[in-house]
C-alpha cells in the first residue's frame, strides 16, 4: 500500500483488497472519496453504486430477476434487431459481422462490439435498437464516464449538470416505459418488481454507465490477447468445452481488469496491512495491480482464490450485472466460433487504441477470417 496525495491510500495487494471489500462495517461505498461522491449528484441516492446495508440488500433482491440467465439472454438477443444469422445463431451487429467475415471481408471488432453494447443499452432504456439510437446511446454513456479522474473525488458543478442532462435525455424513454408499465421493457419490469420510478431510473442510469465501457473494452482485448498468445483456436473451438472457454475468458479478464480501480471510504479507524487508517480516509483499490501481480496471460495457471473475480468486486457489492456482461461476451464468441467450425481462422490485423476513455480499450481492431487455402498462401 502507498499513500498518494490527492488520491488516497492505494491498495495493490489482492488479499488486502478482498479484506476491504468484504468488511462493509469499516469500508463503505458511501462517504468522503467513495463512489457516492461521484454518482449521487448525477443518479440520486438510491442506486447500488452508492448504497449500503439493508437498503442495498433490498435493492439487489428487487433487481435480481432482471439479471437471471434467461433475462440476460433475451436482452442480448433482443427482438427487432434487423439481421439474423440462422447458422451462427447471431442477431443484429453480430450477424452482420459473421456474414462479412464469411464473405472474406474485414471487420472492425471494436465497432461491432460498440454497436452490440449500444443495442443492449437501448434494451435497458426501452428504445428500439436503430443505428441512430445505438450510436447516440453509446456516445452519451461514454461522454459521462470519460469525465471521471482518479485524483478528482467528485465532478465539477458544470460536469454534474452536463451528466444529468445527458442521462436525462438517454433515460427519457425508460421513464415512459416505466409509466406505461410495459413489462416487455426492462423499466416496465422494474415497476412490476416494485421499484419506485426514482429507483428504476437511477438503476437504469447506473447500469448504462457501469456496463457500457466494460464490455466495449473487454471483448476486443480478449480477441487480441488470444491471437497474440496462440489461444485463438482453442478459445473459439471450445464451444463444447465450456470450462476451457471460461478459463480463457477469466484469465483475459484478470490481465485486462475491466474495473482498474475501486473506491471505499473508511468508516471507523482500523489497521489495514499494518497501516493505520482513519475515519474519512479514502481507500483506492488498484484492482489492475492486484490482478496482474500473478503474471502474464496463462489460462493453464492455477487461479489464486484472492484474485478470482476480483475485477467484479467481492461480498455484498459483487457486480450484479456480471451475468449480462458475460452473456454479451458469450454472444460474440459463439458468433465467431461458427466461423471457426468451418475452418476459418480468425486473424487480428490493424489496431488503434482509444483515447479519453475511463477503461483502456481499442478504438479500432480489425478482424479477418481467411479461408484455409488463403491462410496457407499468406503464411498466417
Amino acid at each position: 500500500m502507498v499513500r498518494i496525495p490527492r488520491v488516497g491510500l492505494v491498495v495493490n495487494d489482492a488479499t488486502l483488497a478482498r479484506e476491504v471489500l468484504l468488511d462493509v462495517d469499516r469500508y463503505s461505498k458511501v462517504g468522503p472519496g467513495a463512489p457516492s461522491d461521484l454518482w449521487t449528484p448525477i443518479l440520486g441516492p438510491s442506486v447500488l453504486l452508492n448504497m449500503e446495508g439493508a437498503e442495498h440488500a433490498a435493492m439487489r433482491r428487487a433487481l435480481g430477476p432482471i439479471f437471471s440467465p434467461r433475462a440476460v439472454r433475451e436482452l442480448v438477443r433482443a427482438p427487432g434487431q434487423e439481421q439474423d444469422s440462422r447458422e451462427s445463431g447471431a442477431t443484429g451487429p453480430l450477424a452482420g459481422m459473421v456474414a462479412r467475415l464469411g464473405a472474406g471481408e474485414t471487420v472492425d471488432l471494436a465497432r461491432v462490439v460498440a454497436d452490440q453494447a449500444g443495442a443492449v443499452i437501448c434494451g435497458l432504456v426501452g428504445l428500439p435498437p436503430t443505428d441512430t439510437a445505438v450510436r447516440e446511446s453509446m456516445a452519451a454513456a461514454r461522454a459521462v464516464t470519460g469525465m471521471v479522474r482518479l485524483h478528482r473525488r467528485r465532478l465539477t458543478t458544470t460536469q454534474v449538470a452536463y451528466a444529468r442532462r445527458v442521462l436525462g435525455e438517454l433515460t427519457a424513454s425508460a421513464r415512459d416505459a416505466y409509466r406505461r408499465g410495459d413489462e416487455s421493457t426492462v423499466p416496465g419490469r422494474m415497476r412490476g418488481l416494485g421499484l419506485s420510478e426514482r429507483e428504476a431510473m437511477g438503476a437504469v442510469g447506473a447500469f448504462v454507465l457501469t456496463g457500457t465501457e466494460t464490455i466495449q473494452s473487454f471483448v476486443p482485448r480478449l480477441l487480441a490477447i488470444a491471437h497474440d498468445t496462440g489461444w485463438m483456436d482453442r478459445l473459439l473451438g471450445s464451444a463444447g468445452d465450456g470450462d476451457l472457454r471460461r478459463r480463457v475468458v477469466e484469465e483475459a479478464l484478470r490481465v485486462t481488469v475491466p474495473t482498474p480501480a475501486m473506491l471505499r471510504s473508511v468508516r471507523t479507524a482500523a489497521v489495514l496491512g499494518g497501516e493505520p487508517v482513519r475515519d474519512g480516509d479514502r481507500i483506492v483499490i488498484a484492482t489492475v495491480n492486484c490482478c496482474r501481480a500473478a503474471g502474464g496471460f496463462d489460462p493453464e495457471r492455477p487461479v489464486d482464490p484472492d484474485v478470482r473475480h476480483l475485477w467484479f468486486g467481492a461480498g455484498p457489492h459483487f457486480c450484479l450485472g456480471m451475468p449480462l456482461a458475460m452473456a454479451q461476451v458469450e454472444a460474440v464468441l459463439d458468433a465467431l466460433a461458427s466461423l471457426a467450425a468451418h475452418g476459418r481462422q480468425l486473424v487480428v490485423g490493424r489496431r488503434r487504441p482509444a483515447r479519453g476513455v475511463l477503461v483502456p480499450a481499442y478504438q479500432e481492431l480489425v478482424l479477418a477470417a481467411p479461408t484455409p487455402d488463403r491462410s496457407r498462401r499468406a503464411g498466417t
Side-chain angles (χ1 to χ4, degrees):
M1 301 190 300
V2 60
R3 285 191 180 272
I4 300 179
R6 300 179 60 199
V7 174
L9 180 62
V10 180
V11 176
N12 299 292
D13 175 79
T15 302
L16 294 177
R18 195 168 290 275
E19 179 182 336
V20 170
L21 295 174
L22 293 176
D23 190 347
V24 294
D25 292 327
R26 288 193 177 93
Y27 309 105
S28 174
K29 296 189 82 169
V30 179
S36 59
D37 274 0
L38 279 173
W39 301 121
T40 299
I42 299 171
L43 298 170
S46 299
V47 295
L48 293 176
L49 296 172
N50 56 7
M51 297 175 73
E52 290 286 4
E55 290 183 349
H56 173 265
M59 177 70 82
R60 280 187 70 100
R61 284 194 299 272
L63 290 170
I66 301 292
F67 296 98
S68 69
R70 179 179 178 180
V72 297
R73 282 196 302 270
E74 290 176 352
L75 191 55
V76 171
R77 295 177 53 82
Q81 298 189 36
E82 298 79 4
Q83 294 175 298
D84 178 32
S85 171
R86 303 301 177 191
E87 190 169 339
S88 68
T91 57
L94 300 185
M97 173 187 70
V98 171
R100 290 178 58 194
L101 288 171
E105 300 177 35
T106 59
V107 168
D108 178 5
L109 182 64
R111 174 62 185 270
V112 171
V113 173
D115 288 346
Q116 180 208 23
V120 171
I121 288 178
C122 289
L124 281 171
V125 302
L127 282 172
T130 64
D131 289 346
T132 300
V134 166
R135 285 195 297 270
E136 288 179 352
S137 1
M138 287 300 299
R142 296 187 76 175
V144 175
T145 57
M147 295 188 298
V148 176
R149 297 291 184 272
L150 193 59
H151 66 274
R152 185 184 295 149
R153 301 196 174 200
R154 56 181 60 86
L155 300 180
T156 67
T157 302
T158 302
Q159 288 174 324
V160 168
Y162 173 76
R164 293 180 70 174
R165 177 173 62 79
V166 166
L167 281 177
E169 294 170 356
L170 184 59
T171 58
S173 58
R175 195 174 300 276
D176 291 341
Y178 177 91
R179 291 175 179 176
R180 292 195 311 270
D182 180 2
E183 295 210 4
S184 68
T185 68
V186 170
R189 289 201 294 276
M190 287 181 177
R191 177 174 178 172
L193 291 169
L195 274 72
S196 69
E197 181 174 314
R198 185 179 71 172
E199 290 171 335
M201 294 308 99
V204 166
F207 296 143
V208 167
L209 291 181
T210 58
T212 302
E213 293 226 30
T214 299
I215 190 67
Q216 187 171 358
S217 162
F218 175 64
V219 173
R221 295 178 75 186
L222 164 65
L223 271 294
I225 290 171
H227 174 270
D228 295 347
T229 58
W231 274 86
M232 184 75 85
D233 290 345
R234 282 172 285 182
L235 173 65
L236 299 182
S238 62
D241 185 350
D243 186 59
L244 175 60
R245 178 187 280 189
R246 178 187 56 78
R247 290 202 309 272
V248 176
V249 169
E250 290 192 358
E251 179 67 354
L253 283 165
R254 182 188 67 80
V255 299
T256 60
V257 198
T259 310
M262 300 178 187
L263 305 176
R264 292 294 187 271
S265 182
V266 178
R267 278 179 161 172
T268 58
V271 175
L272 178 65
E275 177 82 12
V277 293
R278 301 176 296 276
D279 180 18
D281 273 355
R282 187 196 203 200
I283 303 291
V284 179
I285 298 173
T287 328
V288 64
N289 293 342
C290 297
C291 293
R292 287 184 174 176
F297 178 80
D298 181 5
E300 296 177 322
R301 179 193 296 115
V303 178
D304 180 347
D306 281 332
V307 174
R308 183 176 176 82
H309 293 158
L310 189 62
W311 46 88
F312 285 128
H317 289 288
F318 188 83
C319 179
L320 181 65
M322 185 192 79
L324 177 57
M326 299 312 296
Q328 293 181 77
V329 174
E330 289 291 327
V332 177
L333 295 180
D334 285 344
L336 294 175
S338 69
L339 292 165
H342 287 83
R344 305 294 285 271
Q345 183 180 37
L346 270 291
V347 178
V348 174
R350 185 173 63 253
R351 314 173 197 195
R352 184 160 51 95
R355 305 295 183 189
V357 293
L358 178 62
V359 181
Y362 284 109
Q363 181 69 32
E364 179 185 42
L365 186 126
V366 176
L367 280 184
T371 62
D373 287 344
R374 288 180 59 190
S375 296
R376 283 194 293 270
R377 286 198 301 271
T380 58

